[in-house]
Coordinates of all heavy atoms in Angstrom, one line a residue:
C1150 N -3.5 22.1 0.1 CA -4.1 20.8 0.0 C -4.2 20.3 -1.4 O -4.8 20.9 -2.3 CB -5.6 20.9 0.6 SG -6.5 19.4 0.5
P1151 N -3.6 19.1 -1.7 CA -3.6 18.6 -3.1 C -5.0 18.1 -3.5 O -5.3 17.9 -4.6 CB -2.6 17.5 -3.0 CG -2.6 17.0 -1.6 CD -2.8 18.3 -0.8
M1152 N -5.9 17.8 -2.5 CA -7.2 17.3 -2.8 C -8.2 18.4 -2.8 O -9.4 18.2 -2.9 CB -7.6 16.3 -1.7 CG -6.7 15.0 -1.7 SD -6.8 14.1 -3.3 CE -8.5 13.4 -3.2
D1153 N -7.8 19.7 -2.6 CA -8.6 20.9 -2.7 C -9.8 20.7 -1.7 O -11.0 21.0 -2.0 CB -9.2 21.1 -4.1 CG -9.8 22.4 -4.3 OD1 -9.3 23.4 -3.7 OD2 -10.7 22.5 -5.1
I1154 N -9.4 20.4 -0.4 CA -10.4 20.3 0.6 C -10.6 21.6 1.4 O -9.5 22.1 1.9 CB -10.0 19.1 1.6 CG1 -10.0 17.8 0.8 CG2 -11.0 19.0 2.8 CD1 -9.4 16.6 1.6
H1155 N -11.8 22.1 1.5 CA -12.0 23.3 2.2 C -12.6 23.1 3.6 O -12.7 24.1 4.4 CB -13.0 24.2 1.4 CG -12.6 24.5 0.0 ND1 -11.7 25.5 -0.3 CD2 -12.9 23.9 -1.2 CE1 -11.5 25.5 -1.6 NE2 -12.2 24.6 -2.2
H1156 N -12.9 21.9 4.0 CA -13.5 21.6 5.3 C -12.6 22.0 6.4 O -13.0 22.4 7.5 CB -13.9 20.2 5.3 CG -14.4 19.7 6.7 ND1 -15.6 20.1 7.1 CD2 -13.9 19.0 7.7 CE1 -15.8 19.6 8.3 NE2 -14.8 18.9 8.7
V1157 N -11.3 21.8 6.3 CA -10.3 22.0 7.4 C -10.4 23.5 7.8 O -10.4 23.8 9.0 CB -8.9 21.6 7.0 CG1 -7.9 21.9 8.1 CG2 -8.8 20.1 6.6
Q1158 N -10.4 24.4 6.8 CA -10.4 25.8 7.1 C -11.8 26.2 7.6 O -12.0 27.0 8.6 CB -10.1 26.7 5.9 CG -10.2 28.2 6.2 CD -10.1 29.0 4.9 OE1 -10.3 28.5 3.8 NE2 -10.0 30.3 5.0
A1159 N -12.9 25.6 7.0 CA -14.2 26.1 7.3 C -14.7 25.6 8.7 O -15.6 26.3 9.3 CB -15.2 25.5 6.2
E1160 N -14.2 24.5 9.2 CA -14.7 23.9 10.5 C -14.4 24.9 11.6 O -13.2 25.3 11.8 CB -14.1 22.6 10.7 CG -14.6 21.9 12.0 CD -16.1 21.7 12.0 OE1 -16.6 21.0 11.1 OE2 -16.7 22.3 12.9
R1161 N -15.4 25.2 12.4 CA -15.2 26.2 13.5 C -15.7 25.6 14.8 O -15.7 26.3 15.8 CB -16.0 27.5 13.2 CG -15.3 28.4 12.1 CD -14.0 28.9 12.7 NE -13.4 29.9 11.7 CZ -12.6 29.6 10.8 NH1 -12.2 28.3 10.6 NH2 -12.1 30.5 10.0
V1162 N -16.2 24.4 14.8 CA -16.7 23.8 16.1 C -16.0 22.5 16.4 O -15.5 22.3 17.5 CB -18.2 23.6 15.9 CG1 -18.8 22.9 17.2 CG2 -18.9 24.9 15.7
K1163 N -16.0 21.5 15.5 CA -15.5 20.2 15.7 C -14.0 20.1 15.7 O -13.4 20.9 15.0 CB -16.1 19.2 14.7 CG -17.6 19.1 14.8 CD -18.1 18.1 13.8 CE -19.7 17.9 13.8 NZ -20.1 17.0 12.8
H1164 N -13.5 19.2 16.5 CA -12.0 19.0 16.5 C -11.6 18.0 15.4 O -10.5 18.1 14.9 CB -11.6 18.5 17.8 CG -11.6 19.5 18.9 ND1 -10.5 20.4 19.2 CD2 -12.6 20.0 19.7 CE1 -10.9 21.2 20.1 NE2 -12.1 21.0 20.5
E1165 N -12.4 17.0 15.0 CA -12.1 16.0 14.0 C -12.4 16.6 12.6 O -13.5 17.0 12.3 CB -13.0 14.8 14.2 CG -12.9 13.8 13.1 CD -11.5 13.1 13.1 OE1 -11.2 12.4 14.1 OE2 -10.9 13.2 12.1
V1166 N -11.3 16.7 11.8 CA -11.5 17.3 10.5 C -11.0 16.4 9.4 O -10.8 16.8 8.2 CB -10.8 18.7 10.4 CG1 -11.4 19.8 11.2 CG2 -9.3 18.5 10.8
T1167 N -10.9 15.1 9.6 CA -10.5 14.1 8.6 C -11.7 13.9 7.7 O -12.8 13.5 8.2 CB -10.0 12.8 9.2 OG1 -9.1 13.1 10.3 CG2 -9.3 12.0 8.2
T1168 N -11.6 14.1 6.4 CA -12.7 13.9 5.5 C -12.4 12.6 4.7 O -11.3 12.1 4.7 CB -12.9 15.1 4.6 OG1 -11.8 15.2 3.8 CG2 -13.1 16.3 5.4
Y1169 N -13.5 12.2 3.9 CA -13.4 11.0 3.0 C -12.2 11.2 2.0 O -11.5 10.3 1.7 CB -14.7 10.8 2.3 CG -14.7 9.8 1.3 CD1 -14.8 8.4 1.6 CD2 -14.5 10.1 -0.1 CE1 -14.8 7.4 0.6 CE2 -14.5 9.1 -1.1 CZ -14.6 7.8 -0.7 OH -14.6 6.8 -1.7
D1170 N -12.1 12.4 1.5 CA -11.1 12.7 0.4 C -9.7 12.9 0.9 O -8.7 12.8 0.2 CB -11.5 13.9 -0.4 CG -12.7 13.7 -1.2 OD1 -12.9 12.6 -1.7 OD2 -13.5 14.6 -1.3
C1171 N -9.5 13.1 2.2 CA -8.2 13.5 2.8 C -7.2 12.3 2.6 O -7.5 11.2 3.1 CB -8.4 13.9 4.2 SG -6.8 14.3 5.0
V1172 N -6.1 12.6 2.1 CA -5.0 11.5 1.9 C -4.0 11.7 3.0 O -2.9 11.0 3.0 CB -4.4 11.6 0.5 CG1 -5.4 11.3 -0.6 CG2 -3.7 13.0 0.3
L1173 N -4.2 12.5 4.0 CA -3.4 12.6 5.2 C -1.9 12.9 4.8 O -1.0 12.3 5.4 CB -3.5 11.3 6.1 CG -4.9 11.2 6.7 CD1 -5.1 9.7 7.2 CD2 -5.0 12.1 7.9
C1174 N -1.7 13.7 3.8 CA -0.4 14.1 3.4 C 0.3 15.0 4.4 O 1.5 15.2 4.5 CB -0.4 14.7 2.0 SG -1.3 16.3 2.0
L1175 N -0.6 15.7 5.3 CA -0.2 16.6 6.4 C 0.5 17.9 5.9 O 1.2 18.5 6.6 CB 0.8 15.8 7.3 CG 0.3 14.5 7.9 CD1 1.2 14.0 8.9 CD2 -1.1 14.6 8.4
K1176 N 0.3 18.2 4.6 CA 0.8 19.5 4.1 C 0.1 20.6 4.8 O 0.7 21.7 5.1 CB 0.5 19.6 2.6 CG 1.4 18.7 1.8 CD 1.2 19.0 0.3 CE 2.1 18.1 -0.6 NZ 2.0 18.4 -2.0
C1177 N -1.1 20.4 5.2 CA -1.8 21.5 5.9 C -1.2 21.7 7.3 O -1.1 22.9 7.8 CB -3.3 21.2 6.1 SG -3.7 19.6 6.8
V1178 N -0.8 20.6 8.0 CA -0.2 20.8 9.3 C 1.1 21.5 9.2 O 1.5 22.4 10.0 CB 0.0 19.4 9.9 CG1 0.7 19.5 11.3 CG2 -1.3 18.6 10.1
A1179 N 1.9 21.2 8.1 CA 3.2 21.8 7.9 C 3.1 23.3 7.6 O 3.9 24.1 7.9 CB 4.0 21.1 6.9
A1180 N 1.9 23.7 6.9 CA 1.8 25.0 6.4 C 1.1 25.9 7.4 O 1.2 27.2 7.3 CB 1.0 25.0 5.1
C1181 N 0.3 25.4 8.3 CA -0.5 26.2 9.2 C 0.5 27.0 10.1 O 1.4 26.5 10.7 CB -1.3 25.3 10.1 SG -2.3 26.2 11.3
P1182 N 0.2 28.4 10.2 CA 1.1 29.3 10.9 C 0.8 29.4 12.4 O 1.5 30.1 13.1 CB 0.9 30.6 10.2 CG -0.5 30.6 9.7 CD -0.8 29.1 9.4
Q1183 N -0.2 28.7 12.9 CA -0.7 28.8 14.3 C -0.2 27.7 15.1 O -0.3 26.5 14.7 CB -2.2 28.9 14.3 CG -2.8 30.1 13.6 CD -2.4 31.4 14.3 OE1 -1.5 32.1 13.8 NE2 -3.1 31.7 15.3
D1184 N 0.3 28.0 16.3 CA 0.8 26.9 17.2 C -0.4 26.0 17.6 O -1.4 26.5 18.1 CB 1.4 27.5 18.5 CG 2.8 27.9 18.3 OD1 3.5 27.3 17.4 OD2 3.3 28.9 18.9
A1185 N -0.2 24.7 17.4 CA -1.1 23.6 17.8 C -2.5 23.9 17.3 O -3.5 23.4 17.9 CB -1.1 23.6 19.3
C1186 N -2.7 24.5 16.2 CA -4.0 24.7 15.6 C -4.4 23.4 14.8 O -5.5 22.9 15.0 CB -4.0 25.8 14.6 SG -5.6 26.1 13.8
L1187 N -3.5 22.8 14.0 CA -3.7 21.6 13.4 C -2.7 20.5 13.9 O -1.6 20.9 14.2 CB -3.5 21.7 11.8 CG -4.6 22.5 11.1 CD1 -4.3 22.6 9.6 CD2 -6.0 21.9 11.3
S1188 N -3.2 19.3 14.0 CA -2.3 18.2 14.5 C -2.8 16.9 13.9 O -3.9 16.8 13.4 CB -2.3 18.2 16.0 OG -3.6 17.9 16.5
V1189 N -1.9 15.9 14.0 CA -2.3 14.6 13.5 C -2.1 13.7 14.7 O -1.1 13.8 15.5 CB -1.5 14.1 12.3 CG1 0.0 14.0 12.6 CG2 -2.0 12.8 11.8
E1190 N -3.1 12.8 14.9 CA -3.0 11.9 16.1 C -3.0 10.4 15.6 O -3.6 10.1 14.6 CB -4.2 12.1 17.0 CG -4.2 13.4 17.7 CD -5.4 13.6 18.6 OE1 -6.2 12.7 18.7 OE2 -5.5 14.6 19.3
L1191 N -2.3 9.6 16.3 CA -2.3 8.1 16.1 C -2.8 7.5 17.4 O -2.1 7.6 18.4 CB -0.9 7.6 15.7 CG -0.8 6.1 15.6 CD1 -1.7 5.6 14.5 CD2 0.7 5.7 15.3

Side-chain angles (χ1 to χ4, degrees):
C1150 180
M1152 297 297 289
D1153 194 30
I1154 297 171
H1155 302 281
H1156 175 71
V1157 177
Q1158 179 192 12
E1160 182 58 61
R1161 287 291 186 269
V1162 178
K1163 298 180 180 178
H1164 287 268
E1165 172 70 60
V1166 289
T1167 315
T1168 64
Y1169 172 83
D1170 292 322
C1171 180
V1172 294
L1173 293 162
C1174 64
L1175 308 187
K1176 288 185 177 182
C1177 56
V1178 178
C1181 180
Q1183 298 294 101
D1184 277 333
C1186 178
L1187 290 179
S1188 62
V1189 63
E1190 293 182 356
L1191 174 62

